[in-house]
């Protein structure tokens, strides 16, 4: 496995495998417990219509790391694995077990049944 420093990824261009220019790496988001990188936070290309893409409150794209096909001078994103709002609407709601786990993790009281 080739190791790449996160600092080298800043401002690297993100392009889908179908040739759509998404934007440039702005930051990475990771799981604090495991250290696993979850998403690439990207500054969207000025010509990209972000209305169907998952974005944060600042309008930055949130691209799942699982969608990365390759990293080089540019980062190639698998368009089939790219998180878009139309795909997310079709996902089933989270199971109550996960919600309970999150509440316990945050120190909130266990919900009464």
């Amino acid at each position: 496995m080739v190791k790449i420093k996160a600092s080298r990824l800043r401002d690297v261009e993100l392009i889908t495998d179908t040739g759509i220019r998404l934007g440039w790496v702005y930051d990475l988001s990771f799981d604090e417990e495991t250290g696993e990188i979850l998403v690439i936070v990207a500054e969207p290309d000025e010509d990209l219509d972000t209305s169907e893409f998952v974005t944060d409150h600042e309008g930055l794209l949130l691209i799942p790391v699982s969608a990365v096909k390759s990293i080089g001078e540019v980062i190639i994103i698998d368009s089939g694995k790219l998180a878009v709002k139309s795909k997310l609407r079709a996902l089933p709601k989270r199971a109550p077990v996960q919600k309970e786990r999150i509440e316990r993790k945050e120190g909130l009281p266990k919900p009464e049944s």
Side-chain angles (χ1 to χ4, degrees), residues 36-82:
E36 176 186 8
I37 298 171
L38 302 173
V39 297
I40 296 172
V41 181
E43 181 77 36
D45 184 81
E46 62 184 27
D47 295 328
L48 183 69
D49 176 8
T50 60
S51 63
E52 269 301 302
F53 292 91
V54 177
T55 58
D56 68 4
H57 64 280
E58 296 176 3
L60 297 171
L61 299 174
L62 302 176
I63 301 169
V65 170
S66 60
V68 173
K69 286 184 87 168
S70 66
I71 299 175
E73 289 186 30
V74 298
I75 297 174
I76 304 299
I77 303 297
D78 183 336
S79 58
K81 294 182 179 178
L82 190 58

Side-chain angles (χ1 to χ4, degrees), residues 69-108:
K69 286 184 87 168
S70 66
I71 299 175
E73 289 186 30
V74 298
I75 297 174
I76 304 299
I77 303 297
D78 183 336
S79 58
K81 294 182 179 178
L82 190 58
V84 291
K85 291 178 182 174
S86 58
K87 286 183 187 177
L88 294 178
R89 282 188 215 111
L91 291 176
K93 293 186 179 187
R94 291 185 179 168
V97 174
Q98 255 186 333
K99 181 180 178 191
E100 184 177 314
R101 192 186 104 205
I102 291 168
E103 288 170 346
R104 279 199 229 136
K105 177 183 169 192
E106 294 175 356
L108 300 174

Side-chain angles (χ1 to χ4, degrees), residues 3-54:
K3 295 182 180 182
I4 299 172
K5 290 184 177 185
S7 60
R8 288 194 53 220
L9 295 177
R10 180 71 189 240
D11 296 326
V12 171
E13 190 171 19
L14 297 149
I15 301 174
T16 68
D17 54 359
T18 58
I20 297 170
R21 179 179 289 164
L22 297 172
W24 293 265
V25 175
Y26 178 78
D27 206 349
L28 302 172
S29 180
F30 62 93
D31 182 310
E32 290 181 23
E33 288 183 14
T34 65
E36 176 186 8
I37 298 171
L38 302 173
V39 297
I40 296 172
V41 181
E43 181 77 36
D45 184 81
E46 62 184 27
D47 295 328
L48 183 69
D49 176 8
T50 60
S51 63
E52 269 301 302
F53 292 91
V54 177

